[in-house]
Amino acid sequence: MRANDSFHIAVLPGDGIGPEVMAPALAVLEKVAASRPELKFRFTEAPAGAGHYRDTGSSMPEATIKLCKEADAILLGACGLPHIRYPDNTEIMPQVELRFMFELYAGVRSRMSRAQSSAQPSVASTSS
């Protein structure tokens, strides 16, 4: 465990469905922490996304970037709204901007493999 005994997580709920899914994601992390006394999280929320761009002209403020640099991890919700675009008509994507800022190769999403039963068709299968 780190010296300050907690993991600092920058929380960027984003736009659209982002804030809606962020609430249960945080609830899961809080339950995990409650079940593990040695594990502590500290969450700091910050703005990012198309709504912020609409209101300010920037997809995220410098304070959000600073927070992300200082945090141990970034929990990013869905970002972007179809009707709000940059002047060149590209989508507002702070997630990609963060990847470039931090020289990250890809946005990694967690995944769990589950054994498939014969009652469940494979996602890759096609019917003829």
Side-chain angles (χ1 to χ4, degrees), residues 12 35 52 62 66 68 77 82 89 102 104-105 107:
L12 284 56
S35 71
H52 191 268
E62 286 299 320
K66 182 176 187 283
C68 291
N89 204 35
F102 294 112
L104 300 172
Y105 171 73

Side-chain angles (χ1 to χ4, degrees), residues 99-119:
R99 282 176 37 203
F100 283 117
M101 286 177 202
F102 294 112
E103 298 179 357
L104 300 172
Y105 171 73
V108 179
R109 291 164 178 84
S110 59
R111 124 177 229 287
M112 180 190 304
S113 295
R114 296 182 186 195
Q116 291 193 0
S117 74
S118 59

Side-chain angles (χ1 to χ4, degrees), residues 46-106:
H52 191 268
Y53 175 80
R54 176 195 57 222
D55 297 342
T56 69
S58 169
S59 68
M60 61 190 138
E62 286 299 320
T64 295
I65 296 166
K66 182 176 187 283
L67 169 67
C68 291
K69 286 179 182 178
E70 294 171 352
D72 298 308
I74 303 167
L75 182 58
L76 180 68
C79 291
L81 296 168
H83 60 284
I84 300 173
R85 301 281 180 159
Y86 285 120
D88 67 358
N89 204 35
T90 57
E91 188 176 352
I92 312 298
M93 298 183 296
Q95 65 275 23
V96 174
E97 294 171 36
L98 288 168
R99 282 176 37 203
F100 283 117
M101 286 177 202
F102 294 112
E103 298 179 357
L104 300 172
Y105 171 73

